[in-house]
Amino acid sequence: MDGNGRWATLQGKSRIEGHRRGKTSVRVIVEMSRKLRIPYLTLFAFSTENWLRPHDEVYALMGLLETYLIAEQPKMMRYGIRLQAVGDRDRLPANVRRTLEDVIELTRDNNRMTVVLALSYSGRDEVVRMANKIARKIGDGELQPGDIDEEIVSNHMDTPDVPDPDLLIRTSGEMRISNFYLWQIAYSELYVTPTLWPDFREREYHQALMEFQRRRRRFGRTDEQASEPARLNAGSGGSES
Ligand code: IPE
Ligand code: MG
């Protein structure tokens, strides 16, 4: 979710106004995903590197996150949305962390949709934490070095029960991954739009999904082998279009 600051500058507003409007985009995109029965949605909300921003901006973002979690909690329960988080939670302010953990706990048995918030997250940081978890198990004799395969690695990432994303959308036109999921996006379709996140709403999301449907996913095989058009592989889906 990129471009909140640029949106604000273009409007002659403070960066925080941009984040506030970006929060409305989050609400719209979660709601639309739910209606389309997209089973998993990950939102990259705050990176490890974002801690380096001015204190006021970090503080405002943490406040927006907390009010978002509190305000959306009833809707998550009503619609069966399970909340998960990836990232280094220990760095979050205590109140935000508590609220986050409360909502994760409250929604843990919901099973219609999973929303993953990437908070204080970076892809490399997650890889390092995964390596440490595996190393500890080897140290304890729970795992042998020769046991390590792709499945073991996947199972030691932050959300072992969330499938790899089919589609990665990046707003604001930057052609880079910026330390988001690294391991998980090996075969994700990439979609970059110049639209700034605060302007990314129904129409833009719909366009991205339509573009995704036109992609041919070969997963390394030939065109003939992969004659099926792109499909969401994550769940039973059943989206309308
Ligand atoms: C994305 O918008 C939101 C967060 C990182 C929290 P930015 O704040 O990065 O917006 P730009 O890149 O300055 O436009
Ligand atoms: Mg940015």
Side-chain angles (χ1 to χ4, degrees):
M1 304 186 284
D2 198 16
N4 295 355
R6 274 162 284 172
W7 180 89
T9 304
L10 285 170
Q11 306 286 322
K13 295 184 167 137
S14 72
R15 294 182 59 85
I16 291 160
E17 264 319 303
H19 296 314
R20 226 170 260 147
R21 198 179 137 109
K23 187 167 110 174
T24 307
S25 293
V26 170
R27 234 182 272 127
V28 168
I29 298 309
V30 172
E31 175 64 6
M32 188 165 155
S33 305
R34 182 185 73 75
K35 285 190 179 148
L36 291 172
R37 296 189 212 159
I38 288 171
Y40 297 90
L41 174 72
T42 298
L43 297 159
F44 193 9
F46 194 88
S47 73
T48 309
E49 293 79 12
N50 288 151
W51 289 116
L52 299 170
R53 290 193 179 190
H55 176 265
D56 285 0
E57 186 174 341
V58 171
Y59 187 81
L61 280 165
M62 289 298 137
L64 286 172
L65 170 64
E66 200 184 5
T67 53
Y68 172 82
L69 290 170
I70 293 167
E72 296 303 301
Q73 190 175 311
K75 217 187 282 169
M76 291 181 195
M77 293 314 290
R78 181 151 20 111
Y79 295 124
I81 298 173
R82 174 176 70 140
L83 187 80
Q84 298 256 282
V86 291
D88 183 2
R89 279 187 220 177
D90 292 341
R91 289 185 76 178
L92 296 172
N95 56 322
V96 174
R97 189 183 153 161
R98 211 173 313 119
T99 306
L100 178 69
E101 284 174 354
D102 286 349
V103 179
I104 290 172
E105 181 58 30
L106 181 79
T107 63
R108 58 181 286 175
D109 295 325
N110 292 348
N111 57 16
R112 272 189 249 158
M113 179 189 182
T114 299
V115 172
V116 182
L117 290 180
L119 290 172
S120 189
Y121 177 85
S122 88
R124 285 188 170 182
D125 187 51
E126 186 185 21
V127 167
V128 169
R129 277 183 286 111
M130 171 275 293
N132 275 307
K133 284 182 223 167
I134 292 177
R136 229 172 289 128
K137 286 196 183 171
I138 291 174
D140 295 346
E142 256 184 82
L143 274 177
Q144 300 301 311
D147 293 341
I148 301 172
D149 57 12
E150 291 193 9
E151 198 184 332
I152 298 267
V153 170
S154 289
N155 286 341
H156 290 80
M157 301 302 274
D158 286 348
T159 43
D161 61 340
V162 172
D164 292 342
D166 291 300
L167 171 65
L168 168 65
I169 299 174
R170 173 150 194 167
T171 58
S172 89
E174 308 293 359
M175 303 292 276
R176 52 174 177 263
I177 301 299
S178 296
N179 219 344
F180 184 47
Y181 282 158
L182 296 174
W183 171 263
Q184 295 90 333
I185 62 163
Y187 272 104
S188 302
E189 294 294 324
L190 307 180
Y191 179 86
V192 177
T193 170
T195 304
L196 303 173
W197 177 253
D199 289 330
F200 191 85
R201 299 288 166 89
E202 282 97 343
R203 203 172 138 267
E204 288 73 19
Y205 192 24
H206 195 252
Q207 257 169 13
L209 295 173
M210 293 303 281
E211 160 76 23
F212 171 78
Q213 288 193 323
R214 284 192 292 269
R215 301 275 177 94
R216 293 178 68 77
R217 308 186 79 191
R218 288 181 290 272
F219 299 101
R221 290 170 298 171
T222 66
D223 231 351
E224 272 121 51
Q225 286 176 309
S227 55
E228 287 276 282
R231 283 259 163 83
L232 289 168
N233 64 21
S236 51
S239 65
E240 287 93 81
S241 55

